[in-house]
């Protein structure tokens, strides 16, 4: 037991010195669990997050926007894949991870349990949801678990166009007809608060967060990230003439930051617990695609086996 | 020829070469768009994440090619019509894509069957078009042929995998082929537009590619341990703008926003 | 059944341009080498990041395993002269 303690101690020193932990290195079991939980949650978010945006690919209003949106959602699939791969380095299979998602044992970002009801939602999601995600992901490029950090570096490079495409959609709508501008404002009204909630509970209500920070898995607190996001986003809204739906939003000269209103935490926890408008739909869709693909996966595996056997035979 | 009444009761009018070129480019564009639109429906529904990504890639290629072709068509037309006008403001009878391509995705095997038949022809066709006397078209084909080569290889590999996979997948794949077969024959018809383009060395008659297509398909079928239906009856009408019921719904979905907000720019 | 439906895992290495060596970029699932190659192209080269791709079944890789008793806490920093930052080169010299 004494030795265990000292290993943990040295592990702590090691990560504090900004060293990366690699898959086969010794790590506290709790660290392993935390990294698996966080990475898989992140992977599931990328994958489930495809659904609300894929919802508009076939209805994109121009060929250009159709291509961009499709490329964007495809990127998210890639991100999911990078992250599943990074998680698998810790000895858990993708099958197990998917099983945890489908049985509700693993969570994904609650933001994707809201519906995308108009085209402007493609703008708002790209601008705000990807924007909030980037805030988090830039921080995670320096996370202590090596494969996670490397996946995040790749992801961040690709993310840069996501927020811009969303903002461009908003910009065009805001400068468009009266109906288009109203569509943009309506989307901002709906997506603003859920986007702020993406950063998670406030620091006083986020016990796991402190340990994650200590292990250098997380580098900034929820509230810090949220504040950074607000400060960045408010001027962007002003620039295109849209109004952030928060009467308490006010520049604080002393803090050189925006003060903003309180979030509806009841709603937040309700959605986390599965009571968002789309929780059920998202998982049902995921299960459906997975089950309908079962025979395809089996066939591909069976064919690969046959081919291998044939190769062996012709070599013999 | 004496008149024979029937479903496709349309007589061909004499057209100019410019009109024929416009028609020719538009039909290639419509093929690409309608297939791309269909394949994009797979996004987030693939059998495994890697294949979801692969399918989106195909969709991106097809829609990307559609844009280039519509832009070319817009230039030929020369009256301010844009690529989006072609995609979003025409009705079903103005779309000239193959009927095959508007058929619903069905399951993975259904989509693969559709792709093998089309990709293989598209490969031989675009290989010819890289040498088109029309520089624009040749340029588009030269860019597209790399993607199309990959598509043809990818879909053939999948057909072989599913045909020679499990007992269940073999049955499913065979049924997919049988079900889609009646939409395939139309791809080898010739009409005035194609004839004129072939004479001008701009386009190429798909009928002249039938043998190459057939032997490639036979080869894939054999490797996949599957058989082609012997039925020779084929549906027709796509190149004349007479479609199956599915196209109307594709357009209703695709064109909804520009139709609902006619004054808006996106 | 669900337990066995995973494709096997492949490690992907990409040469981003001629003159550079193949670099590990991540992994993916595929039933066979052909599909692993085409997936690698779709997944890791969506922005034309590569001119050459290698795929290797993960199970075929033999790796050193870190000693349980001497874990990651002894970075081999005794040969610091091997690290470029060991040398102080004036900025005016430019990138080296
Ligand atoms: Fe992402
Ligand atoms: Fe994104």
């Amino acid at each position: 037991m004494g030795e265990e303690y000292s290993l943990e101690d040295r592990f702590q020193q090691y990560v504090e010195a900004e060293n990366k932990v690699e898959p086969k290195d010794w790590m506290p079991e709790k660290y392993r669990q935390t990294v698996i939980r966080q990475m898989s949650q992140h992977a599931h978010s990328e994958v489930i997050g495809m659904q609300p945006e894929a919802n508009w690919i076939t209805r994109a209003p121009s060929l250009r926007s159709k291509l961009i949106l499709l490329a964007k959602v495809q990127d998210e699939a890639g991100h999911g894949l990078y992250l599943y791969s990074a998680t698998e380095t810790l000895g858990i299979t993708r099958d197990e991870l998917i099983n945890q998602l489908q049985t509700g044992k693993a969570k994904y970002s609650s933001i994707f349990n809201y519906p995308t009801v108009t085209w402007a939602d493609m703008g708002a999601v790209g601008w705000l949801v990807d924007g909030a995600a980037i805030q988090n992901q830039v921080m995670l490029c320096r996370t202590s678990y090596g494969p996670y950090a490397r996946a995040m570096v790749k992801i961040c490079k690709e993310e840069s166009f996501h927020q811009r495409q969303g903002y461009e959609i908003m910009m065009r709508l805001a400068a468009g007809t009266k109906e288009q501008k109203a569509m943009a404002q309506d989307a901002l009204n709906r997506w603003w608060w859920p986007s702020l909630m993406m950063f998670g509970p406030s620091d006083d209500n986020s016990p796991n967060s402190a340990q994650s920070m200590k292990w250098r898995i997380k580098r900034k607190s929820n509230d810090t990230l949220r504040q950074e996001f607000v400060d960045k986003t408010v001027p962007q809204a002003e620039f295109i003439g849209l109004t952030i739906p928060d009467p308490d939003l006010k520049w604080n000269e002393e803090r050189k930051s925006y003060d903003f209103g309180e979030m509806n935490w009841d709603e937040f926890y309700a959605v986390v617990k599965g009571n968002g408008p789309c929780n059920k739909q998202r998982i049902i869709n995921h299960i459906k695609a997975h089950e309908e693909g079962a025979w395809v996966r089996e066939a591909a595996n069976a064919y690969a086996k046959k081919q291998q056997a044939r190769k062996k035979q012709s070599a013999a | 020829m004496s008149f024979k009444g029937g479903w496709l009761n349309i007589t061909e009018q004499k057209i100019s070469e410019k009109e024929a070129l416009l028609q020719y480019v538009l039909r290639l564009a419509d093929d690409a768009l309608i297939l791309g639109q269909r394949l994009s429906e797979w996004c987030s529904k693939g059998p495994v994440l890697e294949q979801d990504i692969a399918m989106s890639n195909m969709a991106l290629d097809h829609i990307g090619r559609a844009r280039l072709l519509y832009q070319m068509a817009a230039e030929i037309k020369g009256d301010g019509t844009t690529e989006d006008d072609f995609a979003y403001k025409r009705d079903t009878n103005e779309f000239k894509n193959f009927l095959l391509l508007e058929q619903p995705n069905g399951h993975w095997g259904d989509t693969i069957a559709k792709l093998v038949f089309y990709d293989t022809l598209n490969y031989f066709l675009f290989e010819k078009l890289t040498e088109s006397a029309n520089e624009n078209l040749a340029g588009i084909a030269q860019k597209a042929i790399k993607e199309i080569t990959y598509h043809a290889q990818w879909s053939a590999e999948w057909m072989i995998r599913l045909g020679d996979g499990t007992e269940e997948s073999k049955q499913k794949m065979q049924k997919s082929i049988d079900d889609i077969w009646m939409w395939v024959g139309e791809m080898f018809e010739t009409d005035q537009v194609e004839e004129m383009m072939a004479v001008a060395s701009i386009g190429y008659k798909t009928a002249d590619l039938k043998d190459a297509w057939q032997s490639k398909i036979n080869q894939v079928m054999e490797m996949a341990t599957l058989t082609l239906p012997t039925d020779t009856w084929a549906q027709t009408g796509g190149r004349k703008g007479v479609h199956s019921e599915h196209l109307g719904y594709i357009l209703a979905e695709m064109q909804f926003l520009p139709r609902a907000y006619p004054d808006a720019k996106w | 059944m669900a337990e066995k439906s995973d494709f096997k895992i492949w490690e992907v290495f990409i040469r981003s341009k001629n003159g550079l060596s193949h670099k590990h970029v991540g992994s993916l699932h595929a039933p066979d080498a052909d599909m692993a190659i085409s997936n690698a192209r779709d997944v890791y080269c969506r922005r034309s990041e590569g001119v050459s791709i290698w795929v290797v079944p993960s199970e075929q890789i033999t790796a050193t395993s870190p000693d349980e008793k001497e874990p990651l806490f002894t970075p081999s920093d005794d040969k610091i002269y091997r690290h470029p930052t060991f040398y102080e080169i004036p900025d005016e010299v430019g990138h080296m």
Side-chain angles (χ1 to χ4, degrees):
Chain A
M1 204 59 220
E3 198 187 345
E4 174 86 348
Y5 175 77
S6 103
L7 272 174
E8 299 226 0
D9 233 13
R10 287 159 72 190
F11 182 85
Q12 186 58 40
Q13 280 172 15
Y14 180 80
V15 291
E16 268 172 28
E18 298 298 329
N19 295 303
K20 298 283 184 233
V21 181
E22 294 297 340
K24 295 205 169 159
D25 293 335
W26 183 90
M27 63 189 85
E29 190 47 33
K30 262 256 165 97
Y31 177 90
R32 177 192 301 273
Q33 295 305 334
T34 306
V35 174
I36 289 179
R37 183 169 42 83
Q38 199 181 320
M39 282 197 293
S40 67
Q41 196 167 316
H42 197 157
H44 297 325
S45 301
E46 302 279 357
V47 169
I48 293 296
M50 293 168 71
Q51 288 184 36
E53 291 190 283
N55 183 36
W56 278 92
I57 292 169
T58 55
R59 289 177 292 169
S62 68
L63 293 179
R64 178 180 179 273
S65 62
K66 188 189 289 291
L67 273 182
I68 292 174
L69 183 60
L70 178 54
K72 194 240 175 205
V73 182
Q74 187 201 30
D75 270 353
E76 306 300 7
H79 299 170
L81 197 147
Y82 301 160
L83 287 162
Y84 281 133
S85 301
T87 316
E88 282 175 306
T89 59
L90 289 174
I92 186 164
T93 66
R94 199 195 290 180
D95 256 350
E96 290 172 90
L97 293 168
I98 287 178
N99 189 268
Q100 290 176 355
L101 169 69
Q102 295 184 342
T103 54
K105 267 185 231 126
K107 296 257 176 285
Y108 55 89
S109 180
S110 276
I111 191 86
F112 302 118
N113 290 319
Y114 292 94
T116 53
V117 290
T118 74
W119 171 248
D121 289 20
M122 292 305 96
V125 167
W127 174 34
L128 302 173
V129 176
D130 284 74
I134 290 167
Q135 205 73 33
N136 202 28
Q137 287 168 340
V138 166
M139 160 192 88
L140 289 171
C141 290
R142 297 188 300 122
T143 192
S144 56
Y145 187 58
Y148 195 15
R150 289 193 288 277
M152 289 323 301
V153 169
K154 250 194 318 255
I155 288 173
C156 282
K157 258 192 229 159
E158 302 189 354
E159 280 291 342
S160 63
F161 108 78
H162 293 184
Q163 195 186 13
R164 296 171 78 105
Q165 66 88 31
Y167 191 64
E168 188 193 77
I169 290 173
M170 287 307 248
M171 215 160 62
R172 286 183 183 212
L173 290 173
T177 64
K178 218 169 71 231
E179 289 92 345
Q180 283 177 302
K181 183 158 187 182
M183 199 189 270
Q185 183 63 52
D186 161 67
L188 172 56
N189 293 350
R190 280 180 289 109
W191 289 95
W192 175 252
W193 291 104
S195 302
L196 294 194
M197 292 177 195
M198 277 175 75
F199 296 99
S202 66
D203 295 347
D204 342 320
N205 290 321
S206 184
N208 292 337
S209 202
Q211 181 59 60
S212 282
M213 301 257 293
K214 205 172 150 227
W215 275 329
R216 300 291 196 271
I217 299 171
K218 233 170 120 66
R219 314 291 312 229
K220 288 175 178 176
S221 78
N222 295 352
D223 286 334
T224 308
L225 288 166
R226 188 164 18 239
Q227 181 71 58
E228 286 176 4
F229 174 71
V230 171
D231 291 346
K232 237 186 240 178
T233 312
V234 172
Q236 293 167 355
E238 282 168 359
F239 181 75
I240 51 176
L242 296 179
T243 312
I244 303 277
D246 178 1
D248 296 332
L249 186 79
K250 205 167 71 242
W251 177 252
N252 183 326
E253 187 53 39
E254 210 172 298
R255 291 198 305 122
K256 298 275 179 228
S257 248
Y258 283 94
D259 294 334
F260 54 94
E262 191 58 29
M263 280 157 280
N264 183 346
W265 291 112
D266 291 343
E267 177 183 318
F268 174 81
Y269 288 110
V271 179
V272 169
K273 287 205 184 84
N275 293 321
C278 299
N279 295 59
K280 291 203 175 66
Q281 175 188 337
R282 301 288 185 240
I283 293 300
I284 287 171
N285 287 347
H286 193 275
I287 292 174
K288 184 165 182 279
H290 193 68
E291 284 177 355
E292 286 175 356
W295 71 274
V296 177
R297 296 191 298 274
E298 271 165 38
N301 275 333
Y303 176 76
K305 258 193 214 123
K306 282 189 200 174
Q307 281 297 89
Q308 214 153 33
R310 282 171 198 149
K311 245 190 218 157
K312 252 188 213 149
Q313 207 162 38
S314 69
Chain B
M1 203 195 296
S2 64
F3 182 80
K4 290 186 193 129
W7 174 242
L8 291 167
N9 195 356
I10 300 167
T11 39
E12 281 185 354
Q13 316 251 322
K14 272 257 164 285
I15 53 170
S16 68
E17 188 176 312
K18 181 183 156 183
E19 179 60 23
L21 177 61
L22 178 62
Q23 290 295 328
Y24 190 71
V25 172
L26 277 177
R27 57 177 64 173
L28 295 177
D30 292 345
D31 283 345
L33 177 61
I34 297 303
L35 180 59
Q37 174 80 1
R38 272 293 189 221
L39 297 187
S40 78
E41 292 171 16
W42 268 108
C43 186
S44 81
K45 303 185 185 78
V48 55
L49 209 41
E50 282 81 352
Q51 295 310 316
D52 205 296
I53 294 172
M55 196 57 103
S56 290
N57 244 2
M58 316 271 158
L60 285 169
D61 289 345
H62 292 301
I63 298 168
R65 188 171 78 253
R67 279 191 78 188
L68 295 177
L69 290 162
Y70 283 133
Q71 285 163 8
M72 180 179 168
E75 225 172 275
I76 298 166
K77 211 168 176 220
D79 62 355
T81 307
T82 66
E83 54 173 272
D84 283 338
D85 292 337
F86 286 124
Y88 290 91
K89 298 201 172 141
R90 289 180 304 152
D91 201 349
T92 50
N93 61 336
E94 293 166 284
F95 272 80
K96 302 292 166 60
N97 57 281
F98 291 136
L99 302 174
L100 172 71
L101 305 176
E102 68 201 41
Q103 300 310 306
N105 284 340
H107 60 57
W108 190 255
D110 293 333
T111 298
I112 294 297
K114 188 201 298 190
L115 288 179
V116 168
F117 293 132
Y118 171 74
D119 289 345
T120 305
L121 174 64
N122 213 33
Y123 167 73
F124 289 117
L125 177 61
F126 269 74
E127 198 185 37
K128 293 289 182 194
L129 293 181
T130 58
E131 289 160 22
S132 168
N134 181 298
E135 266 178 44
N136 262 342
L137 188 56
I140 293 173
Q142 282 153 19
K143 186 192 167 289
I145 190 69
K146 292 183 204 124
E147 304 162 357
I148 292 171
T149 306
Y150 176 73
H151 300 165
Q153 187 190 332
W154 184 88
S155 53
E157 277 175 13
W158 261 112
M159 185 173 277
I160 294 165
R161 240 175 233 125
L162 296 178
D164 191 19
T166 61
E167 206 35 58
E168 182 191 7
S169 71
K170 184 191 174 81
Q171 273 175 26
K172 279 203 153 87
M173 198 62 240
Q174 185 62 54
K175 182 161 185 340
S176 303
I177 291 169
D178 297 347
D179 287 348
I180 205 82
W181 182 244
M182 70 170 179
W183 306 104
V184 174
E186 178 197 35
M187 298 197 299
F188 300 100
E189 287 173 358
T190 304
D191 65 358
Q192 186 191 189
V193 169
E194 205 185 55
E195 200 89 56
M196 286 174 72
M197 287 299 98
V199 168
S201 301
I202 293 172
Y204 206 85
K205 276 159 68 174
T206 51
D208 294 342
L209 300 168
K210 178 86 190 274
D211 287 348
W213 178 87
Q214 188 71 59
S215 79
K216 182 74 204 171
I217 293 291
N218 289 346
Q219 201 187 324
V220 174
M221 287 298 140
E222 198 190 311
M223 289 173 79
T225 66
L226 298 166
T227 47
L228 276 188
T230 46
D231 252 351
T232 50
W233 179 256
Q235 301 301 327
T236 176
R239 293 298 195 224
K240 298 186 179 69
V242 182
H243 289 272
S244 62
E245 289 177 350
H246 305 295
L247 185 64
Y249 290 96
I250 293 179
L251 298 190
E253 188 172 340
M254 184 171 78
Q255 299 178 338
F256 141 68
L257 276 169
R259 298 276 192 200
Y261 301 90
D263 304 327
K265 288 204 174 57
W266 307 91
Chain C
M1 179 204 74
E3 286 309 310
K4 262 278 141 238
S5 77
D6 254 357
F7 291 159
K8 68 178 175 183
I9 305 180
W10 301 72
E11 300 299 324
V12 181
F13 301 80
I14 290 180
R15 184 203 298 288
S16 56
K17 61 176 183 198
N18 279 356
L20 298 179
S21 53
H22 286 76
K23 188 169 166 257
H24 183 242
V25 293
S27 55
L28 52 77
H29 289 219
D32 53 50
D34 286 343
M35 193 139 90
I37 284 277
S38 55
N39 287 161
R41 169 191 173 277
D42 289 335
V43 173
Y44 290 101
C45 302
R46 292 199 302 284
R47 289 168 174 76
S48 50
E49 291 96 335
V51 294
S52 163
I53 303 174
W54 289 348
V55 292
V56 183
S58 306
E59 64 201 15
Q60 300 284 338
I61 292 180
T62 310
T64 56
S65 66
D67 190 339
E68 281 281 329
K69 298 285 164 210
E70 267 314 312
L72 38 75
F73 318 121
T74 48
S76 62
D77 269 355
D78 50 341
K79 298 190 181 70
I80 47 171
Y81 49 84
R82 290 204 140 149
H83 298 279
T85 46
F86 178 73
Y87 305 92
E88 264 184 49
I89 308 270
D91 286 349
E92 297 80 68
V93 179
H95 181 71
M96 191 170 277

